Amino acid sequence: MKAGLLLPLLLLLALAAQAAEPDARRSGRDTMSGALRTLQADDAQHPAQLALALGQELWMQGAKSCASCHGEPAALRGVAARYPAWDQGLIDLPGRIQRCRVRHQQQPAWAPESEPLLALSALVAQQSRGLPLAPPHGAELDAAAARGQRLYTTRIGALNLSCAHCHDERAGLRLGGSLIPQAQVDDYPVYRLEWQSLGSLQRRLRGCLSGVRAKVWDWDSAELLALEVYLARRSAGMAMQPPGVRP
């Protein structure tokens, strides 16, 4: 075989072998008990159903309602799969909802992690069920993802641990009786039984920071948003099933 044909052939074989490798990533829902997986899959029993009902109510509320611009919530199918994004700065899905509320509805922003903000976030995210996460790219987002990766692998806090120590090296092992997940973000926001409420990815990240006894970053800080960008890219292509249910 001619040398000029050998290299392309080897490259094609390498790509084919890579494509044939099974995806080792596992959603957090895959680590749950059968009962919790059933709970997440059944809308009638889902513990976030009251929040979703509130989201539907808020969607129609006011002269400048969400519905007045977007129509039915289903019109936003696929939107949640494309966050975090860059729009004059990093912004995640709750941040986009806040911006719409302030700029277009001319209403005061909700407090971080407030019930109405989580309700609308869950309603919008729910419209993308079954779709693959498809976080956008661009120079600013690439820089944020690189920063998020550095944060993910940096030891912090009194326990001197990084995200990677738990969610990469010890994923699948048990901590306090619960399986350690891989830090995939395909189901956010999630209803955690520990919280007895819905919570955003930022709440989960802040809880981890507190758990390793590190400084807890402010809501919507550059650090949290960069970590969100990196985590979304780690989970790219995984099927979304929000809102999730977790122990």
Side-chain angles (χ1 to χ4, degrees), residues 75-163:
L76 297 188
R77 181 164 175 78
V79 167
R82 300 192 294 271
Y83 279 87
W86 179 270
D87 184 2
Q88 300 176 331
L90 290 175
I91 189 168
D92 59 8
L93 180 61
R96 173 65 72 191
I97 291 170
Q98 291 275 48
R99 189 177 294 183
C100 284
R101 177 170 170 80
V102 173
R103 291 186 179 180
H104 302 298
Q105 297 181 328
Q106 299 179 332
Q107 296 293 321
W110 287 308
E113 216 66 13
S114 61
E115 186 178 17
L117 179 57
L118 287 168
L120 273 177
S121 298
L123 179 66
V124 174
Q126 186 188 44
Q127 308 313 308
S128 295
R129 276 183 176 177
L131 295 180
L133 271 169
H137 287 258
E140 297 90 352
L141 288 165
D142 293 346
R147 184 183 185 189
Q149 184 174 18
R150 290 194 297 272
L151 292 168
Y152 185 87
T153 56
T154 298
R155 292 176 181 269
I156 56 173
L159 299 187
N160 196 33
L161 292 172
S162 70
C163 308

Side-chain angles (χ1 to χ4, degrees), residues 44-75:
Q45 299 184 65
H46 201 296
Q49 61 178 308
L50 293 179
L52 290 167
L54 174 60
Q56 288 278 4
E57 181 181 332
L58 292 168
W59 185 264
M60 304 297 297
Q61 196 174 84
K64 296 181 179 180
S65 66
C66 306
S68 68
C69 282
H70 303 292
E72 294 297 320

Side-chain angles (χ1 to χ4, degrees), residues 124-245:
V124 174
Q126 186 188 44
Q127 308 313 308
S128 295
R129 276 183 176 177
L131 295 180
L133 271 169
H137 287 258
E140 297 90 352
L141 288 165
D142 293 346
R147 184 183 185 189
Q149 184 174 18
R150 290 194 297 272
L151 292 168
Y152 185 87
T153 56
T154 298
R155 292 176 181 269
I156 56 173
L159 299 187
N160 196 33
L161 292 172
S162 70
C163 308
H165 282 113
C166 284
H167 299 292
D168 289 350
E169 297 176 15
R170 294 172 176 81
L173 302 179
R174 291 192 174 272
L175 178 65
S178 297
L179 283 174
I180 301 174
Q182 289 183 351
Q184 309 298 349
V185 295
D186 44 325
D187 286 356
Y188 278 88
V190 300
Y191 187 103
R192 287 185 66 90
L193 301 184
E194 173 190 356
W195 298 337
Q196 286 295 291
S197 67
L198 268 177
S200 68
L201 177 55
Q202 288 201 18
R203 180 177 179 181
R204 176 66 271 180
L205 295 176
R206 283 166 54 91
C208 286
L209 290 166
S210 177
V212 299
R213 302 176 193 170
K215 179 183 182 295
V216 177
W217 300 320
D218 292 337
W219 296 104
D220 297 316
S221 64
E223 294 88 352
L224 284 175
L225 288 167
L227 200 47
E228 284 191 76
V229 173
Y230 172 65
L231 292 173
R233 292 194 177 187
R234 276 170 51 99
S235 300
M238 297 182 72
M240 301 175 65
Q241 291 293 335
V245 177

